Amino acid sequence: MTHSLTMTMVFVALLAQTHHCFSKITNGGYLYPQFYDQSCPQAANIVRTIVAQAVAQDPRMAASLLRLHFHDCFVKGCDASILLDSGGTRNVISEKGSIPNSNSVRGFEVIDEIKAALEVACPQTVSCADILALAARDSTVLSGGPSWEVPVGRRDSFGASLHGSNHNIPAPNSTFQTILTKFKIQGLDLVDLVALSGSHTIGNARCTSFKQRLYGNTGNEHTDKLFAAQLRTNCPQSGGDQNLFFLDNVTPMKFDNGYYKNLMDSKGVLSSDQILFKENQESMQIVRQYAANQDMFFEQFAKSMIKMGNISPLTGFRGHIRKNCRIVDG
């Protein structure tokens, strides 16, 4: 009894000391960076090593893994629902076929490799949802961006939401207010919107995602004319939908504040990017600040990534730990 009481007191003391690292979840439970310290202390290193190998082979993979985490969290919370394939005993309808994800999201094989390695080291311990969160951080760091302690302890969902994927993820041609509303529904604000959009300092966009800006009547007046002409050369009015373009044409593989400088020069590729420096005075001011001060951007990006990672995770006894990230009963 005395031993039990002592251990409880020690835990309470540790909780008080590390409270600043904890992320309180409204549905009960905590996410915290030390979650796997006892059950799988090598987890973070395993994730980091495999992500580093993947990015070394394909630098574009950094942006892809970062995007996977974003597209996961905006649908049913950060629960790895985006990783599920269709079918199985629960008749899952995969989010991979949604409009934002089809022929677009990638990196699933990297997640599979990480999960397989973790299952060897620590069977049924580390969730696929936490792998996505850790991989997003590591991808940012490997590209030259900021680092942060990732709160972990998420569990994996039993299902997916194709409807949620089609409706919750902001589209590249959405209005500013629509995008902001979709962020606010997730508990994120305008600062988070502008900071997280900065992830477009790396990665690519498909021609189909911005073609209407080049040939339609809306948006083109806010794009640098020479830049628009350059985009048209490989994004024809008919065809070429899957052709890829750097989101940051100046430093495409470097995670920096160049994205914001591009917006100020009217060289944002997506309408949803350029709109941040067009309609709203507050967002325009934040863009100016980040363009002038990379440290400020990095600091806020890290905070906003942690905040996004806290969207409705499954904790405690909710959800489960998948053995295979693609299937519920694996």
Side-chain angles (χ1 to χ4, degrees), residues 239-302:
D241 285 0
Q242 303 305 316
N243 293 348
L244 295 175
F245 293 79
F246 292 129
L247 285 163
D248 174 0
N249 203 38
V250 182
T251 53
M253 299 297 177
K254 190 176 189 329
F255 197 104
D256 55 20
N257 64 340
Y259 165 83
Y260 299 103
K261 297 175 182 177
N262 294 340
L263 297 188
M264 291 181 66
D265 290 336
S266 298
K267 293 181 179 179
V269 174
L270 302 177
S271 173
S272 54
D273 289 330
Q274 194 59 54
I275 209 168
L276 298 178
F277 199 73
K278 186 174 78 170
E279 292 185 8
N280 183 279
Q281 290 299 318
E282 189 177 351
S283 71
M284 290 175 73
Q285 182 57 28
I286 298 170
V287 168
R288 290 189 192 97
Q289 290 174 337
Y290 293 166
N293 189 333
Q294 181 168 279
D295 289 342
M296 180 186 290
F297 162 49
F298 278 13
E299 182 180 348
Q300 184 57 52
F301 184 81

Side-chain angles (χ1 to χ4, degrees), residues 184-204:
K184 285 185 173 179
I185 287 171
Q186 304 295 347
L188 303 172
D189 58 26
L190 177 63
V191 174
D192 298 314
L193 164 58
V194 180
L196 292 173
S197 294
S199 63
H200 286 175
T201 179
I202 56 174
N204 297 260

